[in-house]
Amino acid sequence: MSYVLDLTCDLIRRRSVTPEDAGCLPLIGGRLVSAGFRVEHLRYGEVDNLWAVHGTAGPTLIFLGHTDVVPSGPEASWQSPPFEPTIRDGRLYGRGAADMKGSVAAMVVALEQFVVAHPDHRGRVGLLLTSDEEGPTNLDGVRKVVEHFRAIGEHIDWCVVGEPSAKEQLGDLVRVGRRGSLSGTLSVRGVQGHVAYPEKALNPIHAFAPALAELAAERWDEGNSDFPPTSFQVSNLNAGTGATNVIPGELKALINFRYCTASRAEDLRARTEAILHRHGLDFALDWNLSGEPFLTPPGGVLRETVVAVCRELCGIDPEQSAGGGTSDGRFIAPMGTEVVEIGPVNATIHKVDECVALQELEQLPQLYRAVCERLLIGA
Ligand SMILES: [Zn+2]
């Protein structure tokens, strides 16, 4: 059995549903200690994080990933048990095979092989793993580790995130940034009353409707060469007492911006509130910024290196995209780090019968190792 397949199977067998780590990080930490890495376990709240580094000074390249997985859903819906790694038709099935225990195993194997082949490489190479990526808040994962890094003056030049990024085959897409996500919980106050006497009430639904039309039609920005325009969506709208003869006293809405680097969160907030004020609404709006957008621009050393490795190893000229949801890269990028995401095909992630192609799994360590060699060997 190959090293990477073996380790991926070992990790899948551990039921590490967020924030449980189920022994994944100690397993990896032990291997990296044996390979000569300095390993620290950073525990915050219920969450285990692992930081391993090799080398003493100079430019620092790290790999970033998570060992936690989303729940499997009903196990009976799976063709083979989700925590029982199973090979069928050239694919490895199991929860986390693609998101992202396969990538994590590939990073570990790549790092082990890299330091054996180049014990005196320049700079530093490291691995940062969390068991809190898939959870709802990510409070005690990479966000906390980055606070710790800032406090001790840790600096990272390049970060490769192993999230499943590919569309149809490894190397066809390199993620070079992510949009920001800004959410709001809006409450519009009216005056409850009898529908027969509207002059004695104030209907918040009627009051909000024209404001909503304006928000939905607003052109927030034009996007830019790397990002599509910022989008605004209402994800929930709620009012009413359940009776047809009562004007409700309050309306609640959940809103979300997926925004690009052409807009700033504070401007989106101010413009939203200005529209609501212009419509004379009595409202409260609680904002939550879950991630700022980031971009590794063309010409960045890491971006160019990863693209070159995809061309050479996978024989593909990768699409370079800043689309998709958010990732833990959003916590690392504000440190001034170049962040690029490259991992396996994401077609089955979070689904039943999640899988990764064996061929992809074998290629991944070679790809990660090639990135290390281009950045930390030679001049
Ligand atoms: Zn993931």
Side-chain angles (χ1 to χ4, degrees):
M1 212 181 205
S2 85
Y3 291 121
V4 63
L5 178 59
D6 208 11
L7 180 54
T8 308
C9 291
D10 269 358
L11 292 172
I12 289 174
R13 274 186 211 104
R14 290 169 162 77
R15 291 177 174 254
S16 55
V17 176
T18 322
E20 282 314 314
D21 175 58
C24 292
L25 292 179
L27 170 72
I28 292 165
R31 284 181 62 146
L32 291 177
V33 166
S34 304
F37 283 72
R38 293 183 302 286
V39 173
E40 276 182 80
H41 291 272
L42 304 167
R43 186 167 176 95
Y44 302 111
E46 299 289 289
V47 174
D48 285 318
N49 302 282
L50 178 141
W51 169 232
V53 69
H54 190 276
T56 48
T60 301
L61 162 68
I62 72 161
F63 291 85
L64 175 66
H66 60 87
T67 49
D68 60 322
V69 296
V70 294
S72 62
E75 297 203 5
S77 314
W78 287 64
Q79 286 191 51
S80 51
F83 297 99
E84 185 87 41
T86 307
I87 293 171
R88 285 193 304 276
D89 307 327
R91 290 169 188 282
L92 172 66
Y93 287 82
R95 175 54 86 224
D99 187 8
M100 55 177 285
K101 289 177 168 176
S103 310
V104 167
M107 290 168 172
V108 172
V109 169
L111 289 172
E112 287 171 340
Q113 293 177 347
F114 174 71
V115 300
V116 166
H118 311 281
D120 300 317
H121 62 83
R122 76 182 186 115
R124 301 187 303 160
V125 66
L127 178 65
L128 175 59
L129 297 176
T130 183
S131 57
D132 182 28
E133 197 277 338
E134 299 285 12
T137 61
N138 316 129
L139 280 181
D140 293 319
V142 175
R143 184 196 299 259
K144 276 273 167 64
V145 175
V146 166
E147 281 173 23
H148 168 66
F149 280 177
R150 285 183 193 275
I152 62 170
E154 182 63 76
H155 178 74
I156 293 161
D157 297 272
W158 306 300
C159 173
V160 175
V161 185
E163 289 287 356
S165 60
K167 293 186 296 185
E168 279 158 24
Q169 58 175 304
L170 180 64
D172 66 3
L173 189 143
V174 172
R175 209 167 287 295
V176 294
R178 294 275 191 170
R179 290 180 294 177
S181 176
L182 172 67
S183 298
T185 303
L186 172 68
S187 125
V188 178
R189 286 177 289 265
V191 177
Q192 186 177 320
H194 195 301
V195 291
Y197 302 97
E199 67 282 3
K200 292 180 179 166
L202 174 63
N203 191 327
I205 303 173
H206 293 201
F208 181 55
L212 173 57
E214 193 174 331
L215 288 167
E218 182 77 3
R219 190 90 179 153
W220 301 93
D221 55 48
E222 300 302 320
N224 52 35
S225 55
D226 295 288
F227 288 97
T230 290
S231 81
F232 166 88
Q233 290 294 314
V234 174
S235 46
N236 198 320
L237 187 60
N238 211 293
T241 62
T244 54
N245 60 357
V246 179
I247 292 171
E250 192 183 28
L251 171 146
K252 284 195 179 290
L254 299 179
I255 63 176
N256 180 266
F257 285 98
R258 287 303 157 110
Y259 71 102
C260 69
T261 48
S263 286
R264 296 186 314 163
E266 60 248 55
D267 295 333
L268 297 173
R269 285 199 295 258
R271 287 169 63 188
T272 303
E273 289 170 12
I275 290 172
L276 297 171
H277 281 303
R278 203 178 320 126
H279 286 270
L281 300 179
D282 177 10
F283 69 92
L285 184 45
D286 281 332
W287 292 102
N288 175 37
L289 178 61
S290 57
E292 307 229 28
F294 66 89
L295 178 72
T296 294
V301 177
L302 179 63
R303 177 167 168 172
E304 297 305 324
T305 299
V306 170
V307 167
V309 166
C310 287
R311 285 190 188 124
E312 190 181 292
L313 234 117
C314 312
I316 306 173
D317 200 10
E319 179 184 340
Q320 300 173 46
S321 153
T326 66
S327 85
D328 274 348
R330 72 186 189 272
F331 300 122
I332 301 288
M335 298 174 77
T337 305
E338 261 191 66
V339 177
V340 168
E341 306 190 13
I342 174 101
V345 172
N346 59 21
T348 63
I349 62 173
H350 295 209
K351 296 184 177 176
V352 300
D353 297 329
E354 179 179 348
C355 64
V356 63
L358 293 178
Q359 192 204 348
E360 252 189 317
L361 197 55
E362 295 302 330
Q363 254 183 335
L364 259 178
Q366 298 171 36
L367 192 153
Y368 292 148
R369 186 177 158 182
V371 173
C372 296
E373 286 172 343
R374 283 181 180 239
L375 290 173
L376 299 179
I377 298 301

